[in-house]
Amino acid sequence: WPASVEVIDSHTEGEPTRVVIAGWPPPAGGTMAERRADRGARFDHLRRAVVQEPRGHEAVVGALLTPPVEPDSQAGVVFFNNVGYLGMCGHGLIGVVRTLVHLGRWMPDAADGAIRIDTPVGTVGAVVEADGSVCIRNVPSYCHAKDVAVEVPGIGRVVGDVAWGGNWFFLTELPEPPLDLAHVDELTAVTRRILAALRAQGITGADGAEIDHVELSGPPSRSDADGKNFVLCPGGAYDRSPCGTGTSAKMACLYARGALALEAEWRQESITGSRFTGWLTAEGSRVIPHIRGRAFITGRTTLYFDPDDPFRAGIPAS
């Protein structure tokens, strides 16, 4: 155990990111996937301590910075939450870039103005735009399966798409409950039942990959948005932002259905009313999502781990 860990907190369109900047022993591995596995094997107590209560809460996504693994990248990152580790995290990456700028570790006007960051699922890019917003270039995304039916206890037959946006998603629409903050408890309960049914019925992503996000879509509340979503994250919390990997998955599904053209903007509203702007480009046969949003630094904290603290390793996630 280190005596303490230093972090920078931010939020991206409402969703918190906690970037570890000092105190965490570096994970071993020649790839980001190996480093993620090493973290889980040797340092999972620190994951729990940093993001779970009493130092964090269920919505916090952590990010551990590492040296890059690719020669033309500037950093590596492993994202984690209250129950485990993520492949990619769109809002988290925006928060990481804003944190690096805040610390002076990367200047937006350096070189060609872009930064490359290695993640366990591939290298992503980002630029800081003139108004301070961050635009990320995500990993290639795609719709894996259309019109997948799942029988959900208490709800009935639910039909949706399975898609990859850096994490695995089941995307669907329901007539109720409404997509608004007044119904967050109901939305959370419904999406948890859908997620449990997907697992029970063996519905997966490619190569048996576990689907760990559920995204409900509906009409926007804002006049400057094209759709609104509610996203259930792996730890049972809902995403306060429009979800970067979820927006990537959504655009990939729209594109697969001929409902979104390359380069056309998709303005995604979150359950909290915040917004991402996204679009797709092509790289050969692959579709590349781009997501623009804003992040704001909210604090710099030293987290202490007293050996006598009964919750040094956090309160287990429910």
Side-chain angles (χ1 to χ4, degrees):
W1 276 92
S4 64
V5 164
E6 191 168 358
V7 301
I8 297 286
D9 286 335
S10 65
H11 80 83
T12 302
E13 303 295 355
E15 180 76 353
T17 306
R18 173 164 284 178
V19 181
V20 177
I21 60 172
W24 193 310
T31 68
M32 295 308 301
E34 289 172 351
R35 293 175 184 178
R36 177 176 60 179
D38 183 66
R39 281 190 49 178
R42 295 199 294 141
F43 303 118
D44 202 54
H45 56 290
L46 288 179
R47 173 192 64 79
R48 300 192 304 270
V50 167
V51 296
Q52 290 180 177
E53 295 181 33
R55 296 169 193 84
H57 56 83
E58 65 177 5
V60 175
V61 172
L64 176 65
L65 298 175
T66 77
V69 295
E70 298 297 334
D72 53 354
S73 295
Q74 287 72 48
V77 65
V78 177
F79 293 106
F80 55 101
N81 64 7
N82 58 332
V83 294
Y85 302 89
L86 301 168
M88 229 298 280
C89 181
H91 95 269
L93 188 70
I94 292 172
V96 165
V97 171
R98 177 52 59 199
T99 296
L100 291 173
V101 173
H102 174 77
L103 293 171
R105 295 188 182 181
W106 178 67
M107 302 304 294
D109 58 354
D112 61 356
I115 187 172
R116 286 170 55 88
I117 299 176
D118 299 323
T119 80
V121 296
T123 299
V124 296
V127 296
V128 178
E129 302 192 337
D131 63 356
S133 60
V134 176
C135 180
I136 66 171
R137 182 184 187 275
N138 197 8
V139 295
S141 301
Y142 61 97
C143 182
H144 172 67
K146 301 176 186 175
D147 299 324
V148 176
V150 56
E151 293 294 332
V152 183
I155 300 175
R157 187 171 185 265
V158 175
V159 178
D161 296 340
V162 175
W164 170 256
N167 296 297
W168 281 106
F169 286 80
F170 181 78
L171 302 96
T172 189
E173 298 185 16
L174 298 176
E176 56 181 24
L179 297 186
D180 59 49
L181 282 174
H183 294 86
V184 159
D185 289 346
E186 297 168 67
L187 291 163
T188 300
V190 165
T191 48
R192 284 184 174 184
R193 288 203 296 270
I194 293 173
L195 187 60
L198 291 167
R199 291 170 176 167
Q201 294 166 42
I203 298 171
T204 69
D207 301 319
E210 180 183 14
I211 298 169
D212 56 8
H213 291 71
V214 175
E215 181 171 355
L216 303 181
S217 299
S221 303
R222 299 173 53 146
S223 60
D224 59 351
D226 300 300
K228 188 173 185 177
N229 68 14
F230 175 90
V231 177
L232 179 75
C233 299
Y238 69 93
D239 200 323
R240 277 70 170 167
S241 81
C243 188
T245 56
T247 299
S248 298
K250 176 67 176 180
M251 292 192 299
C253 290
L254 290 170
Y255 176 74
R257 292 181 174 277
L260 183 68
L262 294 175
E263 308 283 354
E265 286 191 347
W266 175 263
R267 300 166 301 174
Q268 182 67 64
E269 182 184 358
S270 75
I271 191 67
T272 62
S274 58
R275 192 186 71 162
F276 282 157
T277 299
W279 62 94
L280 300 171
T281 58
E283 186 178 88
S285 61
R286 303 187 304 174
V287 174
I288 311 297
H290 303 255
I291 306 290
R292 180 192 296 120
R294 302 171 302 162
F296 301 90
I297 302 298
T298 57
R300 181 167 183 160
T301 305
T302 301
L303 305 175
Y304 292 102
F305 308 117
D306 188 329
D308 294 327
D309 182 354
F311 297 116
R312 179 168 64 158
I315 298 173
S318 58

